Structures are given as structure tokens and as C-alpha cells.
């Protein structure tokens, strides 16, 4: 499917020059350190980055830095990296640069899980609480995101090939369905649960603390650790599953790995930060233009870029209407929606749609 | 040696193959021909493992279905019809993917040699989806060749499975591609090809498998299989084979005109 009657393919044209991946990854790492430093020092109480090392901080500053800003910074970086890499993996799985967990209902599925944990958590047998402890919401979100990803993958491939039309529409339907169930849960919630849900639903890192970080970090890190192992397989799968199999890729294992990693990262991200969309579209898209579609480079670069992007967005969200805070989800949608539209309208003929 | 016994296939509730026996030997080009819907591509997909069904396929007596994909990729490459690439990879990047999956991964020069072999050196850094259909087909052949560059490794023959490799090509490139496959077979490798063009088949095949309605109608050297009776029966039309005399000049009246 081509969009808007795209013109004939342009022949005899070299691919535009790409930036060397190594320096780009190194540059992104430097960028991440810089924005992290800026994020730590900017805010209602200004502490310059080097002051942390040059002079002893007073107790109030120490509290702000280590109890509020630092866990929030680390959580933001992990969530940003997780969402960006989830986008890369999903796009590779569906052979389509428009796939994004937020867009195709996976985040909504994760949200349903998280809300379910908040609302129904008290009714669960004590044994489950003993096993899951503070991980209850991330585990439920992971299950919700995982089930949604699986259903979506089955639906989009009903006719033997992955169709983007089916995928987007099925994703919208799944998202609507998940949101409807979430609505029922919210209807059932009591006042205290409603307050929790409201803060969570705004899509914000505002409630970040070490406990939340400890709950989400292992899940996000597990997803981030699995992703690079899938890179070669996803490269080959750009030519379809049979071609990838002929090139020695254990296709079923790669697919399972990708679905697991996407569900883990999206689920954990949604559980701690609500619905933050478009990171998974913006970061991979910009990087594919810069360094090309090779997943071996795209995955680490997207992780760094996604982390930096979310830290910048969170810092801006904290500062722009200070002392109040803008939900970061709104900010990402303002950046991401135009990028998505640009991507949709600049699709080339001959690519899989 | 590729051997298949009693190969069946069912697609959408319809039986496509009825107990087909198939053998291909290294050093030969085995060409599967037959009319549309006779089961040529389905047979190839059963041989390459893309499709499951009754009957076992073996490579040197080992069942292909039980071989890990990683090891199988070192012994054989498959060129499907009309492969679409989902992301903006360049030709060189696509060929490199085949190369990295294959048995020549210690010899990086193979990537450029495979691209040169199909006559696409000038377009190595173009996006694959910017190339014409015929160029893309040759590009994917280069990917398969970069994966299986040596016809023989460690004393064992390697294999190329190709589905209509010349369908999108002009006559010059048809000959180029057939010569690439021919050379591979002549140097000890095995080629299994599905073809539509009976002339190119007659020119290059060592063995021809003529399919009709999911069965093998004839199997043997081209001169034994490509006969008037058999082709007429398979293609349901009157077909007459001509051969040029081995000696002496000859001419076609179509080529003559009044001076």
C-alpha cells in the first residue's frame, strides 16, 4: 500500500550518505551525560552540577538531589530507553517503521494490567502479594502488554503476511477494548485507589522514588539486555520470515524474544510512568535516517537517544509551568504526533506497507 | 544430494502435490518446469522447508527439517520470488546479510565479488527499493551467492535453490544469471531451479523435472523430457520442439528478408 499516490521510484540514485554509527553512539552517550547533569541541577532549587563535588551540600539539597531528582532521572532514562527500544523491536517484528507500542494498543494493555493491580490488588490472595510484593503493578502491566502484543501479532498476520492496515486497525481496536476494561476498573475503584490512578494516568515521572525504581529497573534492564541479541535476526526478517530462516535465523525464537522484551519494557514503563507515547516512533525514525536501519547499531543508539529525549522532556515538563508540572505524556505527544505524520506522508513506494 | 520421497502439500484445503519423488545431484542444474499451478513453486517450498507436509526431504541423507537453521544456512541458500525489504537497506547491506549468514564470513571481499557477478557494482550503495524489479532480483541472487559462495566446502557440495530467477530480467541478464548458476553447478555445487522459460531450460539444465497437476510427468535429461508429446500434454497445447542440426549452417526463414 502506498500513501497519497506516491510518485514512481527514483532510479540511479545513491542512498544519502549516512553518519558513521560509532561516533553517533558516542555522541549520544555524551549527550545523555550532559542532559542528565542539566536535569539534576535545574529545578525549583538550583544546584549547579559541579557544586555537588566542590562543596558540601546542605541537608535540604542532599534530600532534593538523592531522594527526588536522582531516582527520577534514572527512572526517566530507563523508561526512555525502554520505550525507544520497544519501538525498534516492534517495528522490526512488523517490518514496519510505523509500529509503536503506544499506537497499537500495547501500552493500553499494559495500562489495563497496572490499573488492575491497583484496583483489584487488595482482593488478591495474600500468597500472590507475598510472591510479587512491590512488583505487583509491573508484573500485571507486563502480562497485559504481553497478551496484547501476542493477540496483535496473531491478528496482523492472519493472512500469512503482516499488513500494516490490519495491524494499525487491530491495534486501535485492542487499545479501545483495553481502555474499556480499564474504565470498568476505574468505575469500581474506591476513593483512595482513584487518587492513585489519577496520578498514574497523567503520564508522569513525578512520583519517582527509589522503591518505584527498584520495582521497574530489573524488568526494563532485562528487556534492554535481550534486545541486542535479536538485532541480526531482525535485520534478516526485514526480508520476511522465510528469507530470514534461509539465512540461518531461528525466526520463532527471535519473535518470542522480541514480544517478551517489548512486553517487559512497555509494561514496566507504563506501570511507573503512565502513558508516554511516541518515544518509540521518534527516536528510531530519526536514527534510521542518520545511521541506517541496521538493528545492531539502531538498538544501542535508540536506547541512548530515547533516554536523553525523555530526560529533556521531563526537565522541560518540570520547568515550563513551575512550580506546577506538565504531564510528560502531553509534551511527547506534541513532539511525536508531527513526526508520525511526516513519516506517514513520506513513505516510499516499494517498501512494505 | 537432495532427496525427497512421497512429498505432499495441501494449501487452503486443496491438495497441491501428490506424493512427489525428487532427487537432485551436486554438479548438476536440476530445473523444475510445468504450467502455472502445476505445483513447481510448492515443490520448491517443500524442498526448502518453507512448507510442511507429508514426506521427508534429506540433504546428504540427513533430514532437512531436523537441521538447525544456522547450519543449514552454511550449506544452502534460497532465492525466493519477489522479496520485499521492509527497511531502507542498501544493496551492499542486503548482500552483506547473506554473506554474514554464510560459509565465507572470513573473506569480506566476497560481498563485492557477489555484487560484481550479477553486474550491479555501480549500484552497490543504492537503496534496494530504488532499484528496478530486475535489478532487485539480481541483488537478491547476489545475496544468495554471498551466502553460498563456494560450491564445495569441506568436501561437501553446497546448494542454491532459486524460484524463477530470470522472470523479471531482460534477455542479456537472463543469460548472465543462467551462466552464474551454470558455473556454480560446473564447479561442483548443486542448483535446483524453478523455471518458466523452456528455451533457457533446454540450454542450461542437466536434468528437467516436468510437473503437471501436482505430479511428476517426466524426469530426466532435457532432450528426453522436453518432447512434443510430453510438453503438449503438460501445457495442454500443441508444442513442437525444434533442434538445430549439429553440423552445417542453418537459418530461420523469419530472419530472411528481400534485399
Amino acid at each position: 500500500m502506498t500513501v497519497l499516490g506516491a510518485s514512481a521510484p527514483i532510479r540511479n540514485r545513491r542512498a544519502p550518505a549516512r553518519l558513521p554509527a560509532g561516533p553517533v553512539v558516542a555522541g549520544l552517550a555524551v549527550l545523555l551525560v550532559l542532559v542528565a547533569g542539566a536535569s539534576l541541577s535545574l529545578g525549583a532549587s538550583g544546584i549547579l552540577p559541579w557544586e555537588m563535588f566542590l562543596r558540601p551540600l546542605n541537608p535540604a539539597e542532599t534530600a532534593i538531589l538523592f531522594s527526588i531528582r536522582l531516582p527520577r532521572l534514572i527512572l526517566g532514562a530507563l523508561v526512555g530507553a525502554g520505550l525507544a527500544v520497544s519501538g525498534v523491536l516492534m517495528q522490526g517484528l512488523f517490518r514496519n517503521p510505523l509500529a509503536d507500542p503506544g499506537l497499537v494498543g500495547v501500552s493500553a494493555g499494559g495500562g489495563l494490567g497496572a490499573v488492575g493491580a491497583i484496583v483489584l490488588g487488595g482482593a488478591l490472595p495474600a500468597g500472590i502479594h507475598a510472591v510479587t510484593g512491590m512488583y505487583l503493578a509491573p508484573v500485571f502491566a507486563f502480562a497485559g502488554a504481553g497478551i496484547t502484543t501476542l493477540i496483535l501479532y496473531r491478528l496482523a498476520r492472519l493472512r500469512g503476511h503482516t499488513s500494516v492496515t490490519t495491524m494499525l486497525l487491530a491495534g486501535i481496536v485492542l487499545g479501545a477494548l483495553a481502555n474499556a476494561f480499564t474504565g470498568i476498573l476505574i468505575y469500581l475503584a474506591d476513593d483512595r485507589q482513584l487518587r492513585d490512578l489519577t496520578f498514574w494516568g497523567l503520564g508522569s515521572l513525578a512520583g519517582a522514588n527509589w522503591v518505584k525504581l527498584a520495582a521497574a529497573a530489573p524488568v526494563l534492564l532485562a528487556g534492554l539486555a535481550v534486545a541486542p541479541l535479536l538485532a541480526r535476526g531482525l535485520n534478516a526478517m526485514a526480508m520476511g520470515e522465510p528469507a530470514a530462516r534461509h539465512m540461518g535465523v531461528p525466526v520463532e525464537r527471535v519473535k518470542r524474544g522480541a514480544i517478551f522484551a517489548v512486553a517487559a519494557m512497555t509494561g514496566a514503563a507504563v506501570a511507573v510512568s503512565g502513558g508516554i507515547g511516541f518515544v518509540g516512533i521518534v527516536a528510531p525514525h530519526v536514527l534510521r535516517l542518520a545511521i541506517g536501519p541496521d538493528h545492531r547499531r539502531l538498538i544501542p543508539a535508540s536506547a541512548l537517544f530515547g533516554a536523553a529525549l525523555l530526560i529533556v522532556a521531563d526537565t522541560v515538563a518540570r520547568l515550563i509551568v513551575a512550580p506546577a508540572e506538565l504531564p510528560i505524556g502531553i509534551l511527547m505527544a506534541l513532539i511525536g504526533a508531527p513526526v508520525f505524520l511526516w513519516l506517514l506522508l513520506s513513505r516510499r513506494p516499494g517498501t512494505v506497507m | 544430494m537432495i532427496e525427497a520421497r512421497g512429498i505432499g502439500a495441501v494449501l487452503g484445503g486443496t491438495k497441491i502435490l501428490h506424493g512427489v519423488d525428487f532427487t537432485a545431484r551436486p554438479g548438476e542444474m536440476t530445473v523444475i518446469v510445468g504450467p502455472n499451478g502445476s505445483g513447481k513453486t510448492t515443490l520448491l517450498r517443500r524442498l526448502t522447508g518453507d512448507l510442511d507436509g507429508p514426506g521427508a526431504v534429506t540433504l546428504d541423507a540427513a533430514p532437512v527439517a531436523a537441521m538447525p537453521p544456522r547450519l543449514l544456512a552454511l550449506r544452502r541458500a534460497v532465492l525466493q520470488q519477489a522479496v520485499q525489504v521492509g527497511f531502507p537497506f542498501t544493496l551492499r547491506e542486503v548482500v552483506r546479510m547473506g554473506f554474514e549468514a554464510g560459509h565465507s564470513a572470513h573473506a569480506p571481499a566476497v560481498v563485492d565479488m557477489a555484487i560484481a557477478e550479477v553486474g550491479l557494482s555501480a549500484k552497490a550503495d543504492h537503496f534496494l527499493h530504488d532499484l528496478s524489479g530486475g535489478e532487485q532480483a539480481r541483488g537478491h541472487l547476489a545475496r544468495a551467492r554471498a551466502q553460498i559462495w563456494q560450491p564445495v566446502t569441506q568436501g561437501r557440495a553446497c546448494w542454491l535453490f532459486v524460484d524463477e530467477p530470470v522472470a523479471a530480467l531482460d534477455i542479456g541478464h537472463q543469460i548472465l544469471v543462467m551462466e552464474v548458476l551454470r558455473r556454480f553447478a560446473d564447479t561442483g555445487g548443486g542448483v535446483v531451479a524453478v523455471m518458466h522459460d523452456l528455451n533457457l531450460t533446454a540450454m542450461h539444465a542437466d536434468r528437467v523435472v516436468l510437473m503437471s497437476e501436482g505430479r511428476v510427468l517426466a524426469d530426466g535429461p532435457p532432450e528426453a523430457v522436453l518432447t512434443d508429446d510430453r510438453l503438449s500434454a503438460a501445457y495442454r497445447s500443441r508444442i513442437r520442439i525444434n533442434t538445430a542440426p549439429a553440423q552445417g549452417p542453418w537459418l530461420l526463414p523469419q530472419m530472411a528478408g528481400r534485399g
Side-chain angles (χ1 to χ4, degrees), chain A residues 10-16 18 91 95-96 235 238-239 242-243 246-248 288 293 296 348 350-352, chain B residues 50 69 73 76 78 80 83-89 93 97 100-101 123 125-127 129-130 132 143 147:
Chain A
I10 303 146
R11 303 258 159 79
N12 300 314
R13 207 185 59 173
R14 273 171 164 272
R18 286 174 181 157
Q91 288 146 24
R95 305 172 66 191
N96 195 297
N235 281 346
M239 274 172 267
H246 297 146
M247 286 191 276
R288 259 190 219 104
R296 286 172 297 191
R348 290 160 164 282
T351 50
V352 178
Chain B
D50 286 343
R76 92 160 186 207
V78 179
Q80 304 155 276
V83 174
Q84 285 203 315
V85 184
F87 293 104
F89 284 103
E93 288 171 334
M97 279 187 221
E100 285 169 357
K123 304 208 166 169
D125 292 314
H126 291 220
F127 284 132
H129 62 230
D130 277 346
S132 75
R143 165 170 64 83
Q147 183 182 336

Side-chain angles (χ1 to χ4, degrees), chain B residues 241-256:
Chain B
I241 299 290
N242 289 297
T243 41
Q247 270 157 7
W250 62 286
L251 56 84
L252 283 172
Q254 291 98 317
M255 304 291 286

